Amino acid sequence: MPNVLVLPGDGIGVEITPEAVKVLEAVLKDHSTKLNFEYGLIGGAAIDEVGKALPDATLAAAQAADAILLGSVGGPKWDTLPAPQRPELGGLLAIRKALGLFANIRPVKMLPMLVEASTLRTEVVKNVDLVVLRELTGGLYFGEKGRGTNPRSAFDTLVYTEEEIKRIVELGFQTAVKRRKKLCSVDKANVLESSRFWREITLEVAKNYPEVELTHMYVDNAAMQLVRLPEQFDVIVTENMFGDILTDLASMLMGSIGMISSASLNGSKGLYEPAHGSAPDIAGKNIANPLATILSGALMLRYSFGLEDEAQKIERAIERVLQEGYRTPDLAKPGDKVLGTREMGNAVVEALK
Ligand code: NAD
């Protein structure tokens, strides 16, 4: 039986992960594949319990697991710790790096019944169906960083190797081949040397995918185009920090960050988590939207276990619940039937039947 390590983490992480587990168990109820769920500590919860954001036991369990489901980490309680010890750097970035999860995949597809939840006009967002592939273990977030004293200063370093660019760009092309065959590589090649190198490698990889239409776009223009005409995009591939920013922007096309799932892959292993953080402002109130985490569970079935039908069953069940007018508060408008976190999880389980 495949092992799934569940790492709820902090804040709303502890409220949304049980809903995803509930839905995964329900969709596999009569299936020959069953998942065995184990639990571990990460982030602030791990700091409080064992003094370290990524305990050795968690890393060992993650290395042994077939897939990982993560909630979210961080919160004001741990914000004053030195950066390397904090939940984000010491927990989340550390586990991504240790497992070599270099590819972060975030699908952004508008559901017809959520068009009204977007802050953008209906005609702008109604046909959005794109995927962002973000490089996850290189670039500015992992480069050498430090402080100087004379003058008082700080620096971060942006380094990319050929291999790091090649493997994510290749995945971009492979993803495009299965979709509308359009790949947009986002960089800042007018200013950054690392971006010019990114573009060079991308053009080399492109020779193996003549059927894919490749375009390049500067990141500032990409941000603008994502709100101007998002339907022009099929697959976007980009480096770590640009991807971090663009995926949050893209999430709002769908009305709420609470709808955006993600898969972080290294080929053989996957870590699945919602795109949002631990939302301390709403934690503990049973009002967080669990759908991004439930959708991340669907991605797990698709990418880690090859259970495409079951992944689609979850996606369709969510659509049915939304179609019936049920919403968590982040998506609700007057007249909608508002559900709490647990109740939304239950509604998805019901819709699976
Ligand atoms: P956030 O994503 O936690 O919250 C941003 C806003 O979106 C908040 O108003 C929040 O209430 C809302 N929101 C987020 N998820 C929601 C959901 N499922 N349902 C309804 N509303 C939701 O980002 P932030 O406030 O910038 O960061 C809070 C903490 O989370 C920080 O400690 C940050 O470092 C951490 N963080 C962690 C991750 C991660 O674990 N992957 C990602 C981003 C931020």
Side-chain angles (χ1 to χ4, degrees):
M1 196 187 304
N3 274 328
V4 175
L5 178 67
V6 183
L7 302 173
D10 307 315
I12 60 169
V14 297
E15 300 170 66
I16 53 184
T17 42
E19 302 315 311
V21 170
K22 202 153 85 179
V23 171
L24 285 168
E25 281 176 334
V27 77
L28 296 176
K29 194 165 157 279
D30 299 317
H31 199 276
S32 57
T33 303
K34 296 271 184 288
L35 300 177
N36 178 44
F37 295 96
E38 295 170 346
Y39 290 81
L41 289 167
I42 195 165
I47 295 173
D48 289 353
E49 194 85 12
V50 297
K52 205 172 164 197
L54 179 60
D56 298 344
T58 300
L59 183 56
Q63 273 156 345
D66 296 289
I68 300 142
L69 180 70
L70 192 134
S72 51
V73 301
K77 185 176 175 192
W78 306 282
D79 278 352
T80 50
L81 289 173
Q85 292 166 31
R86 273 187 225 160
E88 296 83 356
L89 206 59
L92 191 60
L93 269 68
I95 196 170
R96 286 174 181 167
K97 189 76 178 176
L99 298 178
L101 303 169
F102 69 87
N104 183 250
I105 304 177
R106 297 194 194 185
V108 182
K109 184 172 183 203
M110 180 47 89
L111 300 175
M113 66 298 263
L114 285 187
V115 164
E116 303 258 304
S118 177
T119 48
L120 297 182
R121 288 203 310 272
T122 300
E123 65 267 31
V124 177
V125 292
K126 68 175 197 290
N127 295 321
V128 169
D129 180 4
L130 60 91
V131 179
V132 184
L133 269 101
R134 165 188 169 196
E135 201 290 325
L136 205 58
T137 52
L140 209 50
Y141 295 3
F142 290 95
E144 196 192 332
K145 51 188 92 239
R147 293 285 179 111
T149 45
N150 192 17
R152 215 170 147 215
S153 58
F155 67 92
D156 296 278
T157 325
L158 206 177
V159 180
Y160 267 110
T161 65
E162 175 180 357
E163 193 45 44
E164 283 174 325
I165 300 170
K166 218 167 156 181
R167 61 189 183 182
I168 185 81
V169 169
E170 245 158 28
L171 196 60
F173 277 105
Q174 286 159 9
T175 309
V177 164
K178 292 189 212 134
R179 294 175 44 100
R180 301 197 303 279
K181 301 189 172 49
K182 283 169 64 178
L183 179 68
C184 178
S185 170
V186 171
D187 61 38
K188 188 73 184 166
N190 49 345
V191 179
L192 298 177
E193 193 54 37
S194 55
S195 278
R196 282 190 280 276
F197 186 54
W198 177 284
R199 209 175 263 216
E200 207 175 295
I201 303 297
T202 302
L203 286 167
E204 284 172 24
V205 176
K207 290 184 190 137
N208 301 325
Y209 299 90
E211 70 274 43
V212 175
E213 180 200 327
L214 171 69
T215 51
H216 304 275
M217 199 178 274
Y218 298 142
V219 62
D220 39 352
N221 185 27
M224 195 260 279
Q225 296 297 338
L226 271 169
V227 288
R228 190 187 76 88
L229 191 61
E231 68 180 57
Q232 70 185 286
F233 295 105
D234 178 17
V235 182
I236 293 174
V237 66
T238 191
E239 61 104 85
N240 202 343
M241 186 172 72
F242 298 161
D244 191 5
I245 298 167
L246 290 183
T247 46
D248 263 33
L249 194 158
S251 75
M252 276 320 288
L253 302 173
M254 275 183 82
S256 170
I257 196 163
M259 292 301 298
I260 306 291
S261 55
S262 85
S264 304
L265 310 174
N266 80 354
S268 59
K269 171 118 47 203
L271 181 147
Y272 301 85
E273 58 174 324
H276 57 75
S278 57
D281 53 334
I282 59 166
K285 296 182 180 160
N286 192 41
I287 56 173
N289 184 348
L291 293 179
T293 317
I294 296 174
L295 285 166
S296 302
L299 293 181
M300 177 190 291
L301 296 183
R302 173 171 295 132
Y303 292 121
S304 280
F305 302 121
L307 298 172
E308 178 60 33
D309 286 354
E310 284 63 33
Q312 284 188 24
K313 272 185 198 162
I314 294 178
E315 289 161 353
R316 280 201 302 269
I318 288 175
E319 286 174 33
R320 216 167 299 140
V321 170
L322 293 169
Q323 191 62 50
E324 286 165 13
Y326 294 107
R327 303 277 189 277
T328 41
D330 54 310
L331 292 172
K333 44 179 205 331
D336 286 335
K337 295 172 250 182
V338 179
L339 296 183
T341 310
R342 274 190 298 278
E343 293 70 27
M344 181 53 94
N346 293 343
V348 177
V349 169
E350 274 306 305
L352 280 171
K353 295 175 187 163

